[in-house]
Amino acid sequence: VNFRALTSWVGIARLFAVVLSCLAFSLVASTGHFGTPYGTWCMFTWCFCFAVTLLVLLLELLELYPLLPLSWDDFTSAFSMLAALMVFTSSVVFPATFISSPCSSNLCARQAVATTASCLCFLAYAVEVALTRAKPGDISSFLSTVPGLLKVFEAYVACLIFSLLDAYSGEPGLRWCVAVYSICFIFTLLIIIFTIGRCLTYIPCPLEKMLVGYNFLALLMYLTATILWPLYSFRGKSRPNPCSTSCWWNKSLGVTFLTIFNLIAYLVDLVYSTRMVFV
């Protein structure tokens, strides 16, 4: 039994994440008000992060993780980054959807405490990401480096974009944007999976230079999507009144901002990857 898995700073951050995620979904479950798609997503996030983090703690406590056919450091780094992004999204979506002002009832109080627990859970995962991030010059675990963490961010933002896509079949420019999101998501996800599965060594080409080339192409593709999506989505159209959260205007605006976020992420990824390979 390796008790350092619980007493190290990383282990303590994971323990906090387990307790806080459990508190969040328990309080929301006690209210019974999470039936909408947004509520279901938040509950799934807290339950998923709780279960996987608890499994990680048990495997490290019993020192069983070396038996798994995967790169453990890459897996835990990728999961902590993914969990931080998912919990952050839930910490924003849940109160915006379910908490109304003024908040005076017992139901609202439990929802507010659950939101607070979710925010603290995000901080716990962010601390874990910071503690496990590779130091400059250390590339033994790719997904713990800045380019590796950005890969997880890019894939997650692409998933958010897919969840907001609505009517786009009528415009060739919009179809191109969807193709950009899909192609970049697939290749980024394959890089993450191959890294965790220790399959990158079988690729018959210089991996580092291939990643630099892919980041450059993805950056160019997202640059075109950043221009074409708002151009074709809003051209000749005004914002409906009223416009709810499921309104096509708000969804298109969300896709626009998320596209910009991924464009910046691929730019930073290209800069860091180029420095790692050539500098």
Side-chain angles (χ1 to χ4, degrees):
V1 178
N2 178 22
F3 288 104
R4 182 166 174 76
L6 302 179
T7 58
S8 65
W9 288 114
V10 175
I12 293 173
R14 288 171 179 165
L15 284 174
F16 271 105
V18 167
V19 173
L20 292 167
S21 58
C22 180
L23 178 62
F25 75 72
S26 298
L27 286 171
V28 175
S30 68
T31 65
H33 291 267
F34 55 89
T36 66
Y38 294 113
T40 303
W41 161 254
C42 295
M43 285 292 286
F44 167 77
T45 295
W46 295 321
C47 294
F48 171 74
C49 294
F50 166 79
V52 177
T53 306
L54 184 61
L55 180 62
V56 168
L57 282 172
L58 290 175
L59 289 175
E60 292 203 346
L61 179 64
L62 301 177
E63 294 190 328
L64 296 176
Y65 64 89
L67 302 177
L68 300 176
L70 51 82
S71 173
W72 184 251
D73 290 337
D74 284 309
F75 170 75
T76 53
S77 297
F79 169 72
S80 60
M81 183 64 176
L82 176 63
L85 294 170
M86 292 175 67
V87 174
F88 174 77
T89 305
S90 298
S91 300
V92 175
V93 169
F94 183 78
T97 306
F98 293 95
I99 298 180
S100 58
S101 181
C103 183
S104 57
S105 64
N106 179 265
L107 170 65
C108 185
R110 280 182 284 175
Q111 292 173 335
V113 175
T115 301
T116 303
S118 182
C119 294
L120 294 175
C121 184
F122 160 70
L123 291 178
Y125 281 118
V127 169
E128 182 184 349
V129 171
L131 291 174
T132 58
R133 188 173 69 86
K135 304 300 184 292
D138 180 14
I139 56 174
S140 58
S141 173
F142 172 70
L143 292 181
S144 64
T145 62
V146 173
L149 295 174
L150 285 172
K151 288 287 183 292
V152 180
F153 177 84
E154 292 155 4
Y156 182 74
V157 171
C159 290
L160 294 181
I161 290 175
F162 293 144
S163 69
L164 294 176
L165 289 179
D166 207 343
Y168 57 84
S169 58
E171 295 284 355
L174 298 182
R175 290 202 296 268
W176 163 253
C177 294
V178 175
V180 169
Y181 305 143
S182 302
I183 293 171
C184 293
F185 170 75
I186 291 172
F187 276 96
T188 301
L189 185 63
L190 287 176
I191 291 171
I192 295 172
I193 294 175
F194 285 176
T195 302
I196 294 175
R198 298 175 179 172
C199 300
L200 291 178
T201 55
Y202 299 107
I203 298 178
C205 59
L207 176 63
E208 295 82 2
K209 295 182 179 179
M210 183 195 74
L211 290 177
V212 172
Y214 163 69
N215 289 333
F216 180 72
L217 290 176
L219 177 65
L220 293 180
M221 293 172 70
Y222 259 91
L223 182 61
T224 62
T226 303
I227 298 172
L228 293 178
W229 181 266
L231 177 64
Y232 283 94
S233 294
F234 303 111
R235 184 179 58 180
K237 302 175 183 177
S238 58
R239 186 176 186 273
N241 188 19
C243 188
S244 62
T245 54
S246 59
C247 173
W248 68 267
W249 177 280
N250 288 337
K251 288 184 177 180
S252 296
L253 188 63
V255 172
T256 300
F257 280 105
L258 291 173
T259 303
I260 295 173
F261 291 159
N262 247 4
L263 175 68
I264 297 173
Y266 277 109
L267 175 61
V268 177
D269 195 353
L270 176 62
V271 172
Y272 269 91
S273 299
T274 303
R275 288 181 58 188
M276 288 175 62
V277 174
F278 299 105
V279 180

